[in-house]
Amino acid sequence: MGSIKGIDRTDDRPVYVVGGGPGGLAVAAALRGRGVRAVVLERSGAVGASWRGHYDRLRLHTTRRLSALPGLPIPRAGGRWVARDDLVDYLDAYAEHHELEIVTGVEVSRIERADGSDWLLRASGGRELTGRAVVVATGHHHTPRIPDWPGREAFTPELIHSRDYRNPGPYAGKDVLVVGAGNTGAEIAVDLARGGAARVRLAVRTAPHVVRRSTMGWPSQRSAILIRRLPLPVADGAGRVLTRLTVPDLTAHGLPRPATGLATRARAGATPVLDPGLTAAVREGAVEVVAAVESFEDTKVTLADGTLLAPDAVIAATGYRPALEGLVGHLDVLDPSGRPRVRGGRCTAGAPGLYFTGFTNPISGMLRELALDAGRIARAVARG
């Protein structure tokens, strides 16, 4: 990995890739494969920083073969469902294998148009970097989001975002409330229940679709890839049949099947929960499903149905925000939710040469989509 200490401006017009996660590495490798110099700028001290900080239990819900980045398979030793540490090792090996030019400890704060067709990046240490194109790959899991619940600041028990959760050890014998029934919330709730927490409750605002990670050896990811190609009503019907055949009805336990179709929800950004053991834990009573959180007061949590809880700790699995406003908000490239208007090999009309990857969470698998995006971006840059 390189260093740009003492350099205030570059004149060789590389393509700058902002973010050294899987998306940034994949784009850099694809560009290098087309003879285009790419420099990855990573604000932390190593590639794959967000993956390094995930909880210990984490395994990919997508298969090893369908999660590899372009040009290097994930080693078979990682198994079918790759663990966090194995993925981190793979990202390190990927950067080395492709001899990527990576600069760590540099945070880009603003991207602007420079003279002509170039782009100017303002970075930490007063650096100004000029490139022919820029790829923003800071990622879907950039900045933790915790809702501004009334009374949150005065709540005295522990309240953390799921990004700061590592393992159930500190919660042994405790009453824990997990907020949010996405994949992260479901997995943490199961981890706590199996790891010695005295009581685990999962606060759910909108019941998720729950699907098995695989059925008779067939991974749900492959079904998701097929479903994405179908008309929406057909895809919703296929999802309905799949879940009814493979996942028990948990309505009696407070987790009903959603009325909105799986594909419809997915296209709106709500990915299904790939069951990490949640259905079994809910049926056994090891994880109790409760209503959504409404507010906090001292040591109490008020739920949407009026129930008062007094947990020892609250873990908010409430997602992330891309936090792109300061970086590119002035360029009219973001939609009202703060996400890029376009991604992959496309650019907005007013920002040619500015690309985005990694800001969606598709049911077909994020790593797979990052790999596809990398090829599209590299082709577009090479053509330009």
Side-chain angles (χ1 to χ4, degrees):
M1 296 185 184
S3 171
I4 55 175
K5 183 187 294 185
I7 297 177
D8 293 323
R9 188 179 295 274
T10 61
D11 298 310
D12 52 351
R13 301 176 69 248
V15 174
Y16 281 106
V17 181
V18 184
L25 299 181
V27 169
L31 287 168
R32 193 175 190 282
R34 288 181 172 269
V36 177
R37 184 186 174 208
V39 178
V40 178
L41 303 176
E42 167 55 44
R43 65 176 179 171
S44 73
V47 300
S50 65
W51 288 95
R52 295 174 191 273
H54 280 308
Y55 47 91
D56 298 346
R57 172 191 167 100
L58 179 69
R59 284 185 176 271
L60 295 182
H61 296 300
T62 54
T63 67
R64 173 177 52 82
R65 291 189 177 185
L66 293 177
S67 300
L69 302 180
L72 185 69
I74 299 175
R76 292 177 61 113
R80 194 181 197 193
W81 313 104
V82 181
R84 179 201 62 186
D85 290 348
D86 290 329
L87 183 66
V88 169
D89 289 345
Y90 169 71
L91 295 178
D92 285 334
Y94 189 85
E96 182 176 353
H97 174 81
H98 288 290
E99 299 180 341
L100 301 183
E101 191 172 349
I102 300 169
V103 186
T104 58
V106 174
E107 182 170 9
V108 178
S109 58
R110 188 175 174 90
I111 299 171
E112 302 173 354
R113 292 306 302 267
D115 295 334
S117 60
D118 286 349
W119 288 93
L120 174 67
L121 290 77
R122 300 190 185 277
S124 52
R127 299 177 179 88
E128 293 183 349
L129 310 170
T130 304
R132 58 184 282 198
V134 179
V135 182
V136 179
T138 49
H140 189 264
H141 296 90
H142 185 272
T143 301
R145 184 186 70 85
I146 298 182
D148 189 20
W149 289 301
R152 188 188 78 184
E153 298 301 325
F155 186 63
T156 53
E158 179 183 3
L159 169 59
I160 65 169
H161 189 271
S162 56
R163 187 177 73 169
D164 298 317
Y165 174 84
R166 293 294 175 269
N167 58 66
Y171 303 96
K174 293 186 177 181
D175 181 336
V176 187
L177 174 65
V178 180
V179 185
N183 277 292
T184 297
E187 190 150 16
I188 288 176
V190 173
D191 198 27
L192 289 165
R194 305 302 187 212
R199 188 173 191 178
V200 179
R201 284 174 282 207
L202 181 63
V204 179
R205 184 171 298 278
T206 303
H209 284 278
V210 180
V211 300
R212 294 184 63 177
R213 190 165 60 177
S214 67
T215 303
M216 299 179 66
W218 177 264
S220 291
Q221 182 185 9
R222 290 197 179 276
S223 296
I225 293 169
L226 296 174
I227 283 175
R228 288 189 73 188
R229 301 173 183 172
L230 298 175
L232 198 57
V234 178
D236 279 340
R240 190 176 303 111
V241 171
L242 176 67
T243 54
R244 289 186 181 277
L245 288 175
T246 60
V247 179
D249 186 356
L250 298 175
T251 302
H253 300 277
L255 202 62
R257 298 186 191 276
T260 307
L262 187 153
T264 297
R265 289 275 297 275
R267 292 188 189 182
T271 56
V273 170
L274 293 163
D275 190 6
L278 181 67
T279 55
V282 169
R283 294 176 81 183
E284 296 165 7
V287 172
E288 305 169 48
V289 178
V290 298
V293 169
E294 284 293 303
S295 63
F296 291 81
E297 182 178 353
D298 297 329
T299 62
K300 302 292 179 63
V301 180
T302 303
L303 304 182
D305 61 4
T307 301
L308 282 177
L309 305 180
D312 299 312
V314 176
I315 299 173
T318 46
Y320 296 79
R321 58 186 183 88
L324 292 171
E325 290 79 6
L327 190 67
V328 297
H330 54 288
L331 297 172
D332 193 29
V333 294
L334 304 179
D335 66 19
S337 71
R339 299 187 183 280
R341 294 182 189 278
V342 298
R343 65 174 180 85
R346 296 184 297 153
C347 302
T348 56
L354 179 62
Y355 302 90
F356 296 88
T357 185
F359 294 95
T360 60
N361 191 18
I363 61 174
S364 52
M366 180 181 289
L367 291 171
R368 177 179 180 274
E369 293 301 318
L370 290 176
L372 295 173
D373 268 359
R376 296 173 185 132
I377 292 170
R379 288 192 294 272
V381 170
R383 285 197 304 267

